[in-house]
Amino acid sequence: MTDLFTPARFGDLELPNRIVMSSLTRCRAGAGNVPTPLMVEYYRQRAGVGLILSEASPICAAGHGYPRTPGIHTPEQIAGWKHVTAAVHGAGGRIALQLWHVGRISHPALQPGGALPVAPSAIRPAGRVFTGSDMQDYVTPRALDTDELPGLVANYAEAARNAMAAGFDAVEVHAGNGYLLDQFLRSSSNQRTDAYGGSQANRARLLLEVMQAVCEAVGSARVGVRLSPVTRANGLSDDDPQGLFEYVVAQLNPLGLAFLDILRGTGGAPQEAWVPFDYARLRALYRGNLILNNAFDFAGAQAALQAGEADAIAFGRLLLANPDLVERFHRGAPLNTPDYETFYTGEAKGYTDYPALAD
Ligand code: 8OZ
């Protein structure tokens, strides 16, 4: 019977267990959005999982929307990430880089040249953004021209190649949580009238072009994708998420990806608050490895694997607070409690100072 401790093969990756570390934004990159020695230590501490998904990493300067998020588009960032991947490999682990573009979830203060953030359509998201010095309302983004989209696809492919140069084992395209690719997918944020807007197939076009280009760049056995069908993150909604994501998943099949990573539920919310969505339909449609994510505990994760709902389970907050989560799960040991105050700030505090079990 498959459980969290059963090895798995995801594309080119051999996973010693099915405990995956979720991508977690921690806002501790250094000047130039370069990974720091503290980040090296943080990832090294968590190398016992089957696969680490790195924090989301912008593919280009315009892809940034939060202070101190580590990019994958400059030589210095690539050099910084090399230390992270070397430390994880040295500790026996595997790590995939999450490729990110925030789209409209940004602000001119975070953009090169103070430019407007870009998006599928000039529709302002509700809410406020931390610019690094204060909170500002989101602005109305600039709608991307059709002839800019090939360059954007090329940015994803280039960033994927950069990730390989930095020593990552794989990349995960971030197409969830209300960021650029998700903004293209959704009827609420995409009102384009070209081939990238309107029908579900048109709204999925950019994502599928990005997936194709990234697979061509680094090989599909080293590529995954993150989807968040019913997230309410960053103000997104859609008129038919079930139909949209069934279309997307069916189109992903021929690519032969290493994995599909799905946020089950709305994110951050307890599982009881999940909105109706038939994840079993996606599971049945998708011919590949599925990682499920969101608020799983040990028992829930074991039950999901044993019921065949997923091939691996991603843990965020539990891994943030328990660097040796695999060992703790194995022994049935008590868990450290995550400190929400230091999720996005605090340097070593709440980052590399969660204790491991005493030997
Ligand atoms: C929390 C804070 C900032 C960014 C996501 C990359 O939701 C994020 C993120 C989460 O995918």
Side-chain angles (χ1 to χ4, degrees), residues 23 42 87 105 135 164 189 202 207 234-235 247 296 307 315 334 336:
S23 189
Y42 164 77
I105 303 301
M135 299 297 292
M164 292 299 132
S189 47
N202 279 359
L207 168 61
N234 297 309
Y247 175 79
F296 280 96
F315 299 88
N336 299 323

Side-chain angles (χ1 to χ4, degrees), residues 3-345:
D3 75 0
L4 286 170
F5 307 108
T6 310
R9 185 178 179 92
F10 284 12
D12 279 354
L13 310 178
E14 299 277 1
L15 278 53
N17 60 63
R18 293 168 188 249
I19 298 169
V20 172
M21 178 171 169
S22 304
S23 189
L24 296 167
T25 290
R26 304 304 309 273
C27 297
R28 283 161 167 95
N33 296 314
V34 172
T36 65
L38 194 62
M39 289 171 59
V40 173
E41 174 61 9
Y42 164 77
Y43 283 109
R44 190 196 58 75
Q45 290 174 344
R46 289 160 177 76
V49 297
L51 177 64
I52 296 174
L53 302 174
S54 83
E55 65 203 281
S57 299
I59 60 162
C60 58
H64 286 262
Y66 302 81
R68 302 192 60 185
T69 48
I72 188 67
H73 53 89
T74 72
E76 295 77 14
Q77 292 163 358
I78 296 168
W81 278 120
K82 275 186 185 164
H83 296 292
V84 172
T85 60
V88 169
H89 293 153
R94 293 135 304 278
I95 181 167
L97 180 90
Q98 197 186 53
L99 299 170
W100 194 27
H101 190 309
V102 298
R104 66 182 186 170
I105 303 301
S106 188
H107 189 272
L110 297 163
Q111 288 290 309
L116 285 176
V118 296
S121 300
I123 301 169
R124 185 168 69 90
R128 311 193 83 199
V129 46
F130 180 57
T131 65
S133 49
D134 60 359
M135 299 297 292
Q136 298 274 344
D137 288 339
Y138 284 115
V139 298
T140 301
R142 179 178 71 80
L144 285 156
D145 290 335
T146 309
D147 64 11
E148 291 179 276
L149 299 180
L152 194 63
V153 172
N155 284 339
Y156 275 93
E158 181 67 22
R161 280 190 290 268
N162 290 346
M164 292 299 132
F168 284 94
D169 300 289
V171 293
E172 176 180 83
V173 173
H174 192 351
N177 298 5
Y179 298 108
L180 182 69
L181 295 172
D182 212 4
Q183 291 158 28
F184 268 85
L185 286 174
R186 310 297 178 139
S187 55
S188 66
S189 47
N190 181 344
Q191 296 180 1
R192 299 177 71 90
T193 54
D194 63 3
Y196 295 84
S199 65
Q200 289 175 340
N202 279 359
R203 284 182 272 130
R205 189 178 309 281
L206 183 66
L207 168 61
L208 296 171
E209 287 181 2
V210 165
M211 296 309 300
Q212 185 75 44
V214 168
C215 287
E216 280 166 16
V218 304
S220 59
R222 295 185 177 277
V223 178
V225 61
R226 166 62 182 270
L227 303 173
S228 311
V230 299
T231 185
R232 298 195 194 92
N234 297 309
L236 275 201
S237 62
D238 190 77
D239 53 21
D240 174 22
Q242 189 74 43
L244 174 64
F245 285 94
E246 288 185 12
Y247 175 79
V248 168
V249 162
Q251 297 299 308
L252 291 174
N253 275 330
L255 291 173
L257 300 175
F259 59 89
L260 167 63
D261 169 17
I262 290 187
L263 175 72
R264 189 164 80 168
T266 51
Q271 297 194 355
E272 297 72 50
W274 289 354
V275 306
F277 186 91
D278 189 352
Y279 297 92
R281 286 275 309 155
L282 295 191
R283 174 68 163 162
L285 270 170
Y286 185 63
R287 297 193 297 272
N289 295 300
L290 179 65
I291 304 172
L292 279 182
N293 192 337
N294 194 14
F296 280 96
D297 60 12
F298 178 71
Q302 290 287 60
L305 289 185
Q306 279 157 15
E309 294 169 13
D311 301 295
I313 303 294
F315 299 88
R317 284 162 282 183
L318 290 187
L319 259 160
L320 179 156
N322 296 276
D324 55 348
L325 186 67
V326 177
E327 181 68 16
R328 288 176 192 252
F329 276 170
H330 205 74
R331 288 207 228 161
L335 301 178
N336 299 323
T337 307
D339 169 23
Y340 285 75
E341 297 297 314
T342 50
F343 274 14
Y344 309 114
T345 184

